[in-house]
Structure formats: C-alpha cells, structure tokens
Amino acid sequence: MIRTTNSESTYSSAAGDRDGDKTKRPSKGSERDVLRVVLLFTTVLLACFLVYSSSDNPLIMVLPSWKNHWFSQKQTSFKMRDPPVSELERVLMNAAMKDKTVIITALNEAWAAPNSTFNLFLESFRIGIGTGRLLKHVIGVCLDSKAYDLCLQVHPHCYLINATDSDQLSSQKDYMTSGYLKLVWRRMDFLREVVTLGYNFIFTDADILWFRDPFPHFFQDIDFQIACDHYNGKPSYKSNWVNSGFTYVKANNKTIKFYEFWCDSGMRWNGRKQDQEVFNLIKNDPFVSQIGIKMRFFDTVYIGSFCEPSKDINVVYTMHANCCKGLNSKVHYLKEILHDWKQYLSEYPSGNTTMAEDRWNRPKRCGRNIR
C-alpha cells in the first residue's frame, strides 16, 4: 500500500493549478492573432460604411431587386424638396416649350370678354396651319381679376398680374389715353420680368390672328425681333417704324439689359409716351450698341398689319388689327379677316396654291383697304 505524503499532495495541487492557468490565459502569439482579426474586421466595416455613404452607393446594385426598390423608395421619401416657386414661374414652366419659350398675350376684361378679341385669337390658332400645337404654349396675362376668370374659362394657362389698380385697367382703353399708357407700361414691366427669369418669349397682342407657324420665318442667332407699322424693305434697318404688338425675344444678358433700359427710358417721360415711341427714340442710343444686342425687323408681307397690310394670303403668318380705332371695329374687321382665311383653307387646305398672289376679299374697314 502506497501512502501519499502531504508534500506530494501539496505538489500535485500546485501543479494542477499551474496547468489550469495555462489553459485559461492565451499566449502572447494568440493575443496578437486576435488583435489582427479585430483590426481587420474594423477596417472592413469602416470601408463598407464609407462606400455606402458615397453618392454612387454601389452596394445597392448587389442588393436583391425588392430590397433595391424598397431602398430607393426610402431615399426618395427623405429627399430634400426643391424650394417653392412663384405663381408666375409655375405658369411659365407649365406653358414653356423645351427651349423655355412661351407665347404671351395681354388681356383685360374688355379683351377677354366672350366674342371679343381673345376668342378670335384662340380660334385662329385652332384652325391655322401648324399653329394648333402652339396653343398649349400660350399664356394669357391678365391685368384684372375679371379678365383672369374669363381667361380660365377658355384657356389653361392664365396669369393675374397682382396690381392694386387692376380695376382701372379692366375697361376698353382708347389709344394714347392715360389708361392705355398705364396698361402698356404694366405689360412692358411684366415682359422685363419674364426675360429676367430666363424665358424666351413671343409677345403677341390679342388683336392678332395667327394663320401660320411663324417660327420658321424667324431670323437665327438674333436676340430681338419686332414687327413694323411701316417697313422700309430691309430687316436690319433701324429706320423701320416698329410695332411692339409682336416681338420675339431670346432671354440673355443683352435682352435683360435692353428691357431694363427700355422700361427706365419710359419713366423718363413719366409714362406719357407709349412703348414703341420710346423704342424708336432709344434704338440708336449708344448704350444699345454697347450691350451688343442684335435686332431685326419683320417684313409686313409676312407679319402683317392693318397699317401696312399683307396682300398675299399665301405667305402671311399673322395679321394685326392695328391702325384701327375702337374695340368694336377691331372685332368686326378681325371676324371678316378670319372668314376670308376659312374660305381660303376650304379651297386650299394645305395653304399652298399655284397662284403668285391671292388677295383678301374684304372691303374697306377701319380707314384702310386691304384689297
């Protein structure tokens, strides 16, 4: 029988404790391995976070399609909204062509009333050659609330100028009266604002009938183009006597400066001169040459008017009831011109004939004869 001494027992216990310590405490090499794994994991995690936070976010590309769709929806829902725009900018954006061009006409209650000029204006677009597609780009700019209500009844794009004196602008305004001049300069200030917002525009009086799409007839690379009461035979001559009722303007720094100069020049005469009178006074000003604006003037054969009527119905694009006093006279004459146009289209639907010239058939009106 073997007996174990106390010293042996003590030794065995101590040895066992030392062995147990070896299993619980890792070696220095093991500690380094663990540290490497932790550092590697942290590095990968940080890299993933940085890639995920980038704008391209390629991680989404490897997610399952349903997760990708969900994630894009979540991103969209938290996307910052664009700052709100003004009512004018909203109307301009809704009516603009792809190149930010709009067609603008100005209305008061008298012109927007049923069976008045605005109705004839819209009808000419509907039946004209290539003009129907342009109607969705027309904006009726209303100078009083009644005109705005009437505009919305017949057309989707209407804008009410916020004016404290709008009630003074609603009725018929005789040529060169104080009410007429106030209306003209209110319109001019509005056009200055449109071009400043970066929109190209055609301004067309509401007593103009559109027979054909005029865009193919416009000059290329020209900043400012305007109709004439009297045309002297060359589109570049500033001696042409203009009519501001039909203008085509491209928005750029030159036209912005020119409209500011035009409006400021009108104030020099305290609004006692109309816009086209002021234009004829400033068109040769050194400042106009300094800003480098390129101008052209439309031939009345194509952009016609009652002052100098286009006699050839085969080539005319528009007809303006200027040089015609009184709203009732304008409406009467425009109806007869529109009747001529409908008759012409019934015979020549494409608008082309073999005749060298085909004259209007209407008799004398408004002190002019366009036979």
Side-chain angles (χ1 to χ4, degrees):
M1 182 176 180
I2 300 173
R3 300 178 65 179
T4 304
T5 65
N6 290 337
S7 61
E8 287 175 341
S9 298
T10 304
Y11 176 80
S12 297
S13 175
D17 289 341
R18 285 195 295 271
D19 290 340
D21 288 343
K22 286 181 181 179
T23 59
K24 290 179 182 179
R25 185 183 302 134
S27 66
K28 292 184 179 179
S30 298
E31 289 178 345
R32 284 195 294 268
D33 291 340
V34 171
L35 183 60
R36 287 193 190 100
V37 172
V38 172
L39 288 174
L40 179 62
F41 179 79
T42 303
T43 301
V44 171
L45 185 63
L46 180 60
C48 290
F49 175 78
L50 292 175
V51 171
Y52 173 79
S53 301
S54 68
S55 58
D56 294 333
N57 203 357
L59 286 180
I60 294 179
M61 300 297 294
V62 299
L63 292 174
S65 59
W66 67 269
K67 290 183 179 178
N68 192 2
H69 176 68
W70 176 87
F71 200 91
S72 65
Q73 283 186 326
K74 298 295 285 185
Q75 280 193 319
T76 302
S77 64
F78 290 102
K79 184 180 178 181
M80 291 285 290
R81 292 186 179 182
D82 294 330
V85 297
S86 66
E87 176 64 11
L88 173 57
E89 290 175 286
R90 184 192 67 79
V91 174
L92 289 169
M93 286 190 294
N94 288 341
M97 303 176 191
K98 290 182 179 179
D99 66 348
K100 295 187 70 175
T101 299
V102 293
I103 301 170
I104 296 171
T105 192
L107 304 170
N108 64 3
E109 180 183 349
W111 286 51
N115 299 315
S116 190
T117 55
F118 189 48
N119 289 97
L120 298 173
F121 174 85
L122 295 177
E123 184 179 359
S124 72
F125 271 86
R126 296 187 188 104
I127 67 174
I129 299 169
T131 54
R133 67 178 184 84
L134 299 176
L135 194 54
K136 62 186 177 183
H137 304 298
V138 172
I139 300 173
V141 176
C142 304
L143 299 164
D144 61 87
S145 57
K146 185 62 175 178
Y148 180 68
D149 293 339
L150 291 167
C151 179
L152 288 175
Q153 292 176 18
V154 294
H155 191 65
H157 303 307
C158 304
Y159 175 74
L160 175 62
I161 292 180
N162 187 15
T164 57
D165 56 352
S166 62
D167 57 324
Q168 302 174 30
L169 304 174
S170 61
S171 60
Q172 178 183 338
K173 303 300 177 187
D174 292 333
Y175 183 70
M176 293 305 292
T177 61
S178 60
Y180 170 86
L181 292 172
K182 181 180 288 189
L183 186 150
V184 163
W185 287 108
R186 186 64 49 77
R187 179 190 75 190
M188 281 294 299
D189 189 60
F190 173 80
L191 295 177
R192 178 200 56 75
E193 186 176 1
V194 170
V195 78
T196 301
L197 288 171
Y199 286 86
N200 315 314
F201 66 82
I202 296 177
F203 177 78
T204 167
D205 277 343
D207 60 343
I208 293 179
L209 300 179
W210 286 52
F211 301 127
R212 293 178 172 89
D213 177 2
F215 279 93
H217 186 69
F218 292 153
F219 298 96
Q220 299 298 314
D221 302 320
I222 298 298
D223 306 305
F224 179 91
Q225 303 175 52
I226 190 167
C228 298
D229 280 341
H230 302 292
Y231 181 74
N232 70 5
K234 292 192 176 181
S236 60
Y237 279 11
K238 288 186 177 180
S239 58
N240 289 301
W241 197 257
V242 302
N243 185 293
S244 58
F246 190 92
T247 53
Y248 176 42
V249 180
K250 293 183 179 178
N252 55 45
N253 288 333
K254 291 177 285 187
T255 51
I256 291 171
K257 290 178 181 178
F258 178 70
Y259 265 83
E260 289 174 348
F261 180 58
W262 195 354
C263 290
D264 289 345
S265 299
M267 293 177 63
R268 277 190 277 164
W269 284 278
N270 296 319
R272 291 193 297 268
K273 292 183 182 294
Q274 62 162 321
D275 55 334
Q276 60 199 41
E277 280 185 301
V278 173
F279 177 90
N280 284 315
L281 291 169
I282 67 171
K283 61 187 177 184
N284 293 310
D285 192 282
F287 178 75
V288 176
S289 300
Q290 181 183 336
I291 62 177
I293 188 170
K294 296 179 182 178
M295 295 184 178
R296 290 295 183 271
F297 304 88
F298 292 125
D299 190 335
T300 51
V301 170
Y302 304 101
I303 307 299
S305 71
F306 289 179
C307 295
E308 199 169 272
S310 173
K311 296 179 179 179
D312 191 351
I313 198 171
N314 293 313
V315 298
V316 68
Y317 289 86
T318 62
M319 183 67 83
H320 189 183
N322 54 354
C323 293
C324 183
K325 291 185 178 180
L327 181 58
N328 291 336
S329 295
K330 287 178 180 286
V331 170
H332 179 75
Y333 207 148
L334 288 171
K335 284 181 178 179
E336 293 197 334
I337 294 294
L338 198 58
H339 178 273
D340 276 358
W341 178 246
K342 291 177 181 178
Q343 185 65 33
Y344 172 78
L345 289 179
S346 68
E347 298 178 17
Y348 311 105
S350 65
N352 296 317
T353 74
T354 57
M355 299 175 61
E357 185 179 89
D358 193 0
R359 295 172 181 262
W360 303 95
N361 298 318
R362 294 297 97 194
K364 183 177 180 181
R365 292 288 188 279
C366 291
R368 300 282 172 178
N369 189 346
I370 61 170
R371 257 188 190 171

